[in-house]
Amino acid sequence: MFDIQKIRNDFPILSREVYGKPLVYLDNAATTQKPLCVLDAMREEYLNVNANVHRGVHYLSQQATDLHEAAREKVRCFVNASKAEEIVFTRGTTEAINLVASSFCHSQMRPGDEILVTDMEHHSNIVPWQLQAERLGLVVRHLPITDEGRLCDVKTIESFVNERTKIISMVHVSNVLGAVNPIGDVIALAHKHGIPVLVDAAQSAPHMRLDVQALDCDFMAFSGHKMYGPTGIGVLYGKEEWLEKLPPYQGGGEMIDKVSWEGTTFERLPFKFEAGTPDFVATHGLATAIDYLDSLGLEKIEEYESSLTRYCMKQLQTLDGIAVYGPSEQRDAVISFNMGEIHHLDVGTLLDRLGIAVRTGHHCAQPLMERLGVSGTVRASFALYNTKDEVDALVAALRRIQQMF
C-alpha cells in the first residue's frame, strides 16, 4: 500500500482550512485536486517553452511540439491504443462526445436511425445526441436500469437493438450510482450486430486501468481534470478506421492540408479533428498527471479507493434514515445518498460549514434522478488522497446534522 501522508503532501490545498475547519474534499467526481508535479510542469513550460506547436521552425516551437506529441504518446500508452494517430485532444469529455455525435450522425445516419444510451448517463452523453436527433430526424432510445441501480442485462439490451440502431454510447462508471457497467459484454453484443460503441470513461479513467484494445471499443472519451490533470483538456480515442471515415468536427487552422477557393482538403489523423491552437501546456500537464498515476500504480489506487468506498458504505449504515443509491457491490468511488426528509441542498450547505466539500443536486443526470424518484442527492466521491479519517469526519458531521432536525 502506498504512503497516504506522502501523497497528501503532493496536494497542498488539502492542508487548508474552510470556515476554521480542516478541509475534507469529497467532490472528486466533479474535479480532482492537482499535485505539485503537474503545476510545476505547466509553470515550467510557460516560463521556458511557450511557443505555438506544429507551425514554427524555431527552437521553442520545435521543443513545444515535441512535448505536445510526447503527451499524445503518453495517452496512447495509458489507454493502450495501437497508434498515436488514434488519440485526439479535445477540451474534455463533453467536446469529445459532441465531436463523435456531430461527425457520426451527419455521415453515418439517416432519418429514423437510432442511438442507444442508458438511463444513467450524464447530460454530456444525452444532449449531444438529442441535438443531432432533432436536426437530422434521428431517435434517441435509452436502456433501462434495475431498481438496484445496475444496467439491464444483455438480453434486455439486445431487445433494444434493431436494424435502425447505428451506435451505442454509454457511461463506463455512473457519476451518481458508482455502478461499473459491463461494457465489454455490451461491446461484444454491439459488434455482433455491426454497431460501434462509444464509452464515456470520465469517471473510470482516474480509478482503473483502461485498455481500449482489450475492450475493443470504437470510441472512448475522458477528461484531464478528473484525473489530477488540468482543466480544459480531454481525450477522444477512436479506432483509426472510424476516424478516417468521419468528417471534421470543426474547421480552421491546423486541421487542413490545402485550402483554395475551389475547396479544402484535410490533414491526416489526428490533426483532422484538432482545429486551432491546442492547449499544448495542458497536454503536458495531462501527461505529467498520467506519470503521477503510473508512479503510484493504478491497480493499487483502485484497491485503495475500493476499500475506502466499502468503509464509507459500512459507516453510513450506522446512521438512521439514510438512503444510498446504486449497487452495494461492483461500484466505483462514488456514493450518492439522501437523509430522510432533509433536503440534499441543506445537507450539503451544513457539511460545507463543517469543512466537508460534497456535491448536491442532480449531478447533470436529471433523467436518472427521475428514475430514482428524487430531485437530487448528496454525493461523496473519493480520490487517492482521501482517508478513513475523512470518512469518519463525514459520518460524524451527518450524525450532527441529523440531530439538528
Side-chain angles (χ1 to χ4, degrees):
M1 187 60 65
F2 44 78
D3 185 342
I4 191 65
Q5 189 53 56
K6 182 175 182 297
I7 289 171
R8 287 179 67 85
N9 291 339
D10 294 333
F11 299 85
I13 195 171
L14 298 178
S15 63
R16 68 163 297 182
E17 292 188 347
V18 178
Y19 301 118
K21 304 287 185 180
L23 172 64
V24 176
Y25 185 79
L26 300 177
D27 193 21
N28 296 286
T31 196
T32 53
Q33 301 302 330
K34 320 307 173 192
L36 284 170
C37 61
V38 170
L39 304 178
D40 290 344
M42 295 176 69
R43 183 175 185 272
E44 175 69 15
E45 182 161 4
Y46 272 126
L47 286 174
N48 295 301
V49 197
N50 185 38
N52 212 329
V53 297
H54 298 143
R55 303 181 185 186
V57 296
H58 59 83
Y59 179 82
L60 286 184
S61 178
Q62 294 296 312
Q63 194 174 15
T65 298
D66 289 345
L67 287 173
H68 182 62
E69 292 306 319
R72 196 187 308 276
E73 173 62 18
K74 185 72 65 176
V75 173
R76 184 202 69 77
C77 294
F78 182 69
V79 298
N80 193 33
S82 61
K83 297 181 178 181
E85 288 81 1
E86 296 179 321
I87 302 300
V88 178
F89 286 124
T90 66
R91 290 180 299 162
T93 305
T94 299
E95 186 178 51
I97 295 174
N98 272 274
L99 188 164
V100 176
S102 177
S103 295
F104 187 92
C105 291
H106 278 82
S107 65
Q108 306 295 317
M109 302 185 72
R110 296 180 179 180
D113 283 348
E114 298 179 357
I115 302 139
L116 275 184
V117 296
T118 79
D119 272 345
M120 64 176 75
E121 299 303 325
H122 189 280
H123 294 166
S124 294
N125 200 28
I126 298 175
V127 179
W129 301 107
Q130 288 180 327
L131 289 172
Q132 299 306 322
E134 183 177 348
R135 292 166 184 164
L136 302 173
L138 310 175
V139 178
V140 179
R141 303 181 70 197
H142 47 101
L143 299 168
I145 63 172
T146 67
D147 291 340
E148 189 189 10
R150 295 189 185 278
L151 184 64
C152 59
D153 60 30
V154 172
K155 185 176 180 180
T156 302
I157 295 172
E158 190 158 25
S159 72
F160 277 75
V161 173
N162 59 60
E163 68 279 0
R164 303 308 299 265
T165 308
K166 300 304 178 185
I167 190 167
I168 298 175
S169 187
M170 65 179 294
V171 68
H172 189 183
V173 173
S174 168
N175 73 312
V176 175
L177 304 170
V180 181
N181 285 325
I183 55 174
D185 294 340
V186 177
I187 292 166
L189 167 64
H191 287 177
K192 185 175 75 172
H193 294 275
I195 300 168
V197 178
L198 184 154
V199 176
D200 173 358
Q203 294 295 337
S204 55
H207 305 293
M208 61 186 69
R209 183 70 63 187
L210 300 174
D211 188 329
V212 295
Q213 292 191 74
L215 289 171
D216 199 26
C217 60
D218 301 278
F219 304 98
M220 179 179 282
F222 57 94
S223 298
H225 74 96
K226 294 181 189 292
M227 48 186 290
Y228 314 97
T231 56
I233 192 68
V235 172
L236 172 67
Y237 158 80
K239 285 183 178 177
E240 184 179 25
E241 57 264 36
W242 273 115
L243 294 181
E244 291 286 7
K245 289 179 188 178
L246 300 185
Y249 169 57
Q250 296 176 318
E254 282 288 296
M255 51 76 68
I256 59 93
D257 174 39
K258 182 180 180 182
V259 176
S260 71
W261 294 121
E262 288 70 37
T264 295
T265 55
F266 304 115
E267 257 284 18
R268 68 191 188 280
L269 295 177
F271 309 115
K272 179 174 76 169
F273 295 104
E274 295 182 350
T277 298
D279 193 340
F280 52 87
V281 177
T283 60
H284 183 43
L286 174 59
T288 307
I290 290 173
D291 281 337
Y292 185 78
L293 289 171
D294 285 341
S295 72
L296 298 175
L298 272 163
E299 291 76 14
K300 290 183 179 180
I301 291 170
E302 183 176 6
E303 180 184 354
Y304 177 74
E305 291 174 340
S306 294
S307 68
L308 199 62
T309 304
R310 289 193 300 271
Y311 179 73
C312 186
M313 292 278 285
K314 183 177 180 180
Q315 296 306 111
L316 287 175
Q317 291 172 4
T318 66
L319 300 172
D320 294 330
I322 295 287
V324 178
Y325 305 97
S328 56
E329 301 293 336
Q330 290 182 312
R331 67 183 297 150
D332 198 34
V334 173
I335 301 177
S336 292
F337 60 92
N338 276 316
M339 298 178 61
E341 299 300 316
I342 310 174
H343 196 277
H344 51 84
L345 179 60
D346 292 334
V347 175
T349 301
L350 291 169
L351 285 175
D352 177 53
R353 289 291 175 173
L354 296 172
I356 300 171
V358 296
R359 179 59 62 94
T360 64
H362 54 67
H363 314 298
C364 296
Q366 287 177 308
L368 176 57
M369 294 297 120
E370 184 176 351
R371 170 64 177 84
L372 297 174
V374 297
S375 62
T377 70
V378 182
R379 184 184 71 187
S381 49
F382 306 108
L384 55 85
Y385 41 63
N386 291 126
T387 67
K388 286 186 176 181
D389 286 344
E390 290 180 317
V391 171
D392 291 339
L394 168 66
V395 174
L398 292 173
R399 185 171 283 111
R400 180 176 173 182
I401 290 170
Q402 280 187 326
Q403 294 168 353
M404 296 170 60
F405 285 84

